[in-house]
Structures are given as C-alpha cells and as structure tokens.
Amino acid sequence: MSVFLGYQILSFREEVRLETKVEQLQEELIDLQDASVMRQNELEEYFIMWVHQMKTPITASQLILKNPDDAAIRNLRQEMVSIENYTNMALNYLKLSNPATDMVFSERKLDDIITPLIRKYSLQFIQHGIRLHYQPIEAEVVTEANLTSLMIEQILNNALKYAKQKEIWISYDSQNATLTIKDSGRGIKAEDLPKIFDKGYSGFNGQLNQKSSGLGLYLVELVARRLNQPVSVESTFGQETQFTIQFNQTS
C-alpha cells in the first residue's frame, strides 16, 4: 500500500512539474511572439520612412536630367551619393536589427575609414563652400569597420547639411580613444539635443531642411550600442555642434 501511495505522490509531482514547464514554455512563446511583432512593426515603420526619404533624390535626379548641363551633372552626382547612402542605411539597419548577426571586430587605422568618406563627399564640400580641417589619423582602433564607416558618414552628412559656407573639423584624441567631428554651422537647440537620436526626429533644423528624415542619427545610435562605441553630442545653437565617438582602445 505504501509503495502504491509513493508512486501516486511521484506521479503527482511529475504532473505538477510538467504543468509548470508547459506554462513556462507558453509564456516564453508569448514573449517571442510579442518580440517578433514588435520587430516587424519597427521594420515597417523604418522602411516607410526610408521609402519616403528615397523619393527626394530620385525626384531631384529626374528633374535634373530634363535639362542636362555641367552644373546639372554635378548636382546629379550629389543625388547619386544620397541614394547610395540611403541604400547603405537600409542594408545596415537590417543587419543591426537582427540579434543573430555576428560582428567582425579587427584593428583598423582610422584614416582608412575616414579618407574614403571625405573623397565621397568632396563635391559637397566644394559646392557648399565648406572648409575641412583634417590630418590623416594613423591611430588604430578595434572596431567593425563597415558599421563604423556608416556611423561616421551619418555624422559627417549631418554636418554637411548645416555647415554651408562654414567649417568642419575631424580629429582624434589618442589618449582617450575619441573621434570628434565638429562643425561651425547652425547648431542644435538645447531642447532638441536629448531627442536627436530618436527615430524620425529632425527637430528645428530638420524643419528648415526638407532632406532631413531623422533616420541617420537614429542609425548612429543603433551602431553605437551594437558596437559598444558610445556617441555623445554637444552644441551651441547658432554656433557649433560636436559629435564624439568613444572607441575601444587597442592593447
């Protein structure tokens, strides 16, 4: 009798254990479904904004081609740079939004990342009358080169929008492993500063610039978190803006 009772107790405990496990699995499934829905909504929201942003350079290119001349060709090249930039943003957003994507870190010379970007936007520097202050940075950092390039490009692109007829400085502090991109442009209002990395937020300056979508700096923040390369910003409205990226120091 006692053996049978012991068997019943064991069976009851096993049944309770299985029920508890089933409940846990159901809760985990619900969490996964919620996360999947949230990610899908974020993707849809991002790409709706991205498609809207892509319309601007495409429409501009179509208008330029109606009256092609030397000036039009230069403008068309600028619009093609914008299209390439937005395409890279979309591809890297997909990469960043997938937690399973592996990041390949290596030691890279910063100049090898920055110089191609300066060349890429050289026409914008010339046409907007912007003076660039940059000396080749031989220092190496541990990073994911493609995403760091994207990060720097979005900050540089932002500076180019608001520093017309002004100056841009790119410098590196080896002691603190920090890269600084500073412009003497329009500056950012104090009330906008806490929000500039929010998705879709363009603030006061964005209202003045129809090409501003608020996606570039949002992507900068995503890269910063994924690579553990914090980015900060300081600005005085009407005078200057400075972005700083904190890199991992090489041993």
Side-chain angles (χ1 to χ4, degrees):
M1 184 70 178
S2 59
V3 173
F4 179 73
L5 180 59
Y7 175 77
Q8 284 185 316
I9 293 173
L10 289 174
S11 297
F12 175 74
R13 288 176 178 173
E14 181 65 15
E15 184 178 344
V16 170
R17 188 187 70 81
L18 290 174
E19 288 179 354
T20 302
K21 186 64 176 177
V22 168
E23 290 176 359
Q24 291 175 347
L25 291 173
Q26 287 175 335
E27 290 176 359
E28 290 176 5
L29 178 60
I30 292 172
D31 289 342
L32 287 173
Q33 290 173 335
D34 289 344
S36 177
V37 170
M38 184 179 296
R39 182 170 180 266
Q40 182 64 31
N41 290 339
E42 288 178 351
L43 284 171
E44 289 179 2
E45 181 182 355
Y46 181 90
F47 279 98
I48 287 172
M49 296 174 66
W50 179 84
V51 169
H52 177 74
Q53 187 69 17
M54 281 290 288
K55 290 180 180 179
T56 301
I58 291 174
T59 301
S61 299
Q62 291 171 338
L63 292 173
I64 290 169
L65 289 173
K66 288 183 178 180
N67 298 291
D69 54 27
D70 290 344
I73 296 302
R74 288 194 296 271
N75 291 332
L76 182 60
R77 286 174 179 165
Q78 287 195 52
E79 299 303 335
M80 293 304 294
V81 169
S82 295
I83 291 172
E84 181 184 356
N85 180 35
Y86 296 143
T87 301
N88 287 335
M89 287 171 64
L91 292 174
N92 282 286
Y93 178 76
L94 289 173
K95 182 177 181 180
L96 288 165
S97 62
N98 184 357
T101 301
D102 291 330
M103 299 296 161
V104 181
F105 288 82
S106 61
E107 289 189 7
R108 293 296 299 270
K109 186 187 297 184
L110 273 172
D111 190 60
D112 291 342
I113 298 175
I114 296 171
T115 297
L117 296 175
I118 293 174
R119 292 197 189 104
K120 180 178 179 179
Y121 287 92
S122 59
L123 189 59
Q124 280 86 333
F125 277 102
I126 295 170
Q127 290 202 322
H128 296 329
I130 299 173
R131 183 180 179 187
L132 173 65
H133 301 268
Y134 176 71
Q135 293 296 325
I137 300 171
E138 299 299 323
E140 293 187 341
V141 295
V142 177
T143 190
E144 208 285 346
N146 291 331
L147 288 178
T148 292
S149 175
L150 178 72
M151 192 179 191
I152 296 172
E153 180 174 4
Q154 300 314 310
I155 295 174
L156 180 60
N157 200 12
N158 192 73
L160 285 166
K161 287 178 184 176
Y162 303 116
K164 294 180 180 179
Q165 309 302 320
K166 300 288 185 177
E167 298 175 272
I168 293 176
W169 293 262
I170 304 176
S171 59
Y172 184 70
D173 181 347
S174 297
Q175 184 174 355
N176 296 309
T178 53
L179 179 72
T180 298
I181 301 173
K182 176 182 174 182
D183 70 77
S184 59
R186 191 176 293 157
I188 303 170
K189 285 191 171 184
E191 58 267 31
D192 287 333
L193 273 176
K195 308 171 186 175
I196 63 169
F197 295 112
D198 293 351
K199 180 166 55 179
Y201 189 82
S202 56
F204 175 78
N205 286 341
Q207 295 172 14
L208 300 177
N209 190 325
Q210 293 182 352
K211 292 186 177 182
S212 179
S213 66
L215 292 180
L217 292 182
Y218 169 69
L219 201 57
V220 166
E221 177 66 13
L222 288 183
V223 174
R225 291 202 303 266
R226 192 68 184 271
L227 301 186
N228 191 27
Q229 291 176 181
V231 58
S232 59
V233 58
E234 299 175 3
S235 186
T236 301
F237 186 65
Q239 295 185 28
E240 63 182 31
T241 299
Q242 176 176 298
F243 286 85
T244 301
I245 302 172
Q246 175 70 62
F247 286 95
N248 298 303
Q249 292 180 303
T250 57
S251 56

